[in-house]
Amino acid sequence: MNKTLFLRIVHRLEQEVDYFKPSQDATGRFSLTALQKCTAAIRQLVYGGGADTVDEYVRLGETTARKCLHHFTNGIIHLFGDEYLRRPTPEDLQRLLYIGEQRGFPGMVGSIDCTMNDLNILDRSPVFDDIINGIAPEVNLYVNGHTYHLAYYLTDGIYPDWATFIQSIRLPQTEKHSLFAKKQEAVRKDVERAFGVLQAKFAVVRNPSNLWDKHKIGNIMRACIILHNMIVEDERASRTQYVFPGFQESDMERFSVNMPSPVGNTMDRRTSVRNIQTHHNLKYDLIENIWVKFGHRPDNM
């Protein structure tokens, strides 16, 4: 994290969160500074150590350091959560769809590959709640001359054949299938790389938790994600793989994002998400699209 960004965070917390505001005790002695408290918190997040590991560096006791950590994570979520931990807007979806189209997957908005218990939590997952409830932006995409109305995620083979999931091909037998499998698996690795970067920056995410309180553990995880997004934005500036200088409105011919419509009901939308035939049709069209787009290249990339 750049010094400028860290000091900006410290300043916001000092101005807007009571715990970090300067104060005096009955003897006129000033309290710990916001810089001390934030440094103690960020070191616990980055190095993953206990609250007693910062006592000599910032002159804080174990109990105070632990309190700093929890107030820091609460403050980060309160001040920056709405901006750096939000659902994609229609503009965000257009950017994601454009990136997916450039990589050979029109309509792809990301990948899902997080845990070994995916199927156990899939029915309780909120990933598709907005679609089923009719409040998600409508996505229309065109693949291999056919029209589809749901964006999708790239997944591994454990996921079911839903219209919103596209898996790789386990044992490809043709050149087309081999190229599709290679491209799908390469793009799907992005989510693993992103989580690996998050673990590298914040050891508290990688190490076993020292806490028993699920709410506090959740706050720490959310705060780390917010800080990670802030760091990425700060370092990215104008140089990023996600900003394409040639992106024009004409590039949206193969996809479009519209505001949600109240037409339809919850059961119809739920059925469309789990439509197996749509899944197979889309996968076939994607295989053809990948072959047309990359099959003629010597390296297939």
Side-chain angles (χ1 to χ4, degrees):
M1 181 185 296
N2 290 332
K3 179 180 178 181
T4 304
L5 175 60
F6 178 66
L7 292 179
R8 179 163 67 90
I9 293 172
V10 173
H11 178 72
R12 285 287 304 275
L13 290 170
E14 186 176 19
Q15 294 296 316
E16 302 181 42
V17 179
D18 290 338
Y19 181 77
F20 294 94
K21 293 179 179 179
S23 60
Q24 291 178 284
D25 62 15
T27 65
R29 185 174 60 180
F30 285 97
S31 64
L32 298 167
T33 65
L35 186 60
Q36 281 179 287
K37 295 175 179 178
C38 291
T39 301
I42 204 74
R43 285 180 67 88
Q44 292 177 73
L45 296 176
V46 172
Y47 296 112
D52 59 346
T53 60
V54 299
D55 53 352
E56 294 184 1
Y57 187 78
V58 289
R59 304 296 181 181
L60 294 182
E62 178 181 356
T63 303
T64 305
R66 188 180 298 111
K67 187 181 296 185
C68 290
L69 173 64
H70 299 313
H71 281 283
F72 180 82
T73 55
N74 289 335
I76 291 294
I77 295 170
H78 173 69
L79 295 178
F80 303 104
D82 291 342
E83 181 178 358
Y84 293 96
L85 196 64
R86 56 173 170 76
R87 287 182 172 89
T89 63
E91 292 75 20
D92 293 331
L93 279 176
Q94 287 181 344
R95 175 174 55 84
L96 292 172
L97 291 169
Y98 180 72
I99 295 170
E101 197 279 332
Q102 294 297 300
R103 304 182 74 176
F105 291 93
M108 186 267 293
V109 293
S111 55
I112 299 178
D113 187 10
C114 298
T115 71
M116 296 301 293
N117 296 317
D118 297 298
L119 291 181
N120 296 331
I121 64 173
L122 184 57
D123 285 332
R124 292 178 290 171
S125 173
V127 171
F128 302 116
D129 283 358
D130 285 355
I131 297 176
I132 294 173
N133 294 329
I135 60 176
E138 294 181 346
V139 176
N140 300 306
L141 53 126
Y142 310 92
V143 189
N144 195 34
H146 298 106
T147 304
Y148 298 90
H149 302 287
L150 285 174
Y152 58 88
Y153 294 89
L154 302 183
T155 69
D156 56 20
I158 194 174
Y159 284 85
D161 293 346
W162 290 4
T164 48
F165 293 143
I166 294 296
Q167 306 92 341
S168 180
I169 298 175
R170 184 179 180 185
L171 296 173
Q173 301 298 314
T174 67
E175 209 172 341
K176 279 186 181 180
H177 288 179
S178 295
L179 177 59
F180 174 82
K182 181 170 71 173
K183 296 293 293 184
Q184 195 269 3
E185 291 166 11
V187 175
R188 184 163 52 84
K189 290 297 181 184
D190 285 354
V191 68
E192 295 183 2
R193 296 189 188 102
F195 196 71
V197 171
L198 182 68
Q199 289 180 317
K201 287 183 177 179
F202 299 99
V204 70
V205 176
R206 181 178 66 249
N207 297 342
S209 175
N210 295 324
L211 301 171
W212 290 92
D213 191 312
K214 291 183 179 180
H215 177 71
K216 291 180 179 178
I217 295 174
N219 281 351
I220 288 174
M221 188 68 194
R222 281 189 286 270
C224 288
I225 295 173
I226 292 170
L227 290 170
H228 170 72
N229 291 339
M230 295 178 71
I231 293 170
V232 169
E233 181 188 72
D234 182 63
E235 294 178 346
R236 183 168 57 194
S238 60
R239 300 187 302 275
T240 174
Q241 61 173 329
Y242 300 113
V243 175
F244 293 85
F247 179 61
Q248 304 293 336
E249 292 297 324
S250 59
D251 294 316
M252 296 170 55
E253 294 178 355
R254 301 186 64 176
F255 62 84
S256 63
V257 179
N258 307 313
M259 295 308 294
S261 170
V263 178
N265 57 59
T266 300
M267 292 304 297
D268 290 340
R269 288 188 287 264
R270 183 181 179 90
T271 301
S272 66
V273 167
R274 303 186 178 212
N275 192 303
I276 296 178
Q277 187 59 50
T278 301
H279 164 86
H280 290 302
N281 293 341
L282 176 59
K283 191 168 185 177
Y284 172 81
D285 286 335
L286 287 171
I287 292 172
E288 294 297 322
N289 183 70
I290 291 288
W291 182 252
V292 171
K293 192 176 183 67
F294 301 105
H296 64 282
R297 300 184 183 182
D299 56 355
N300 289 336
M301 296 300 287

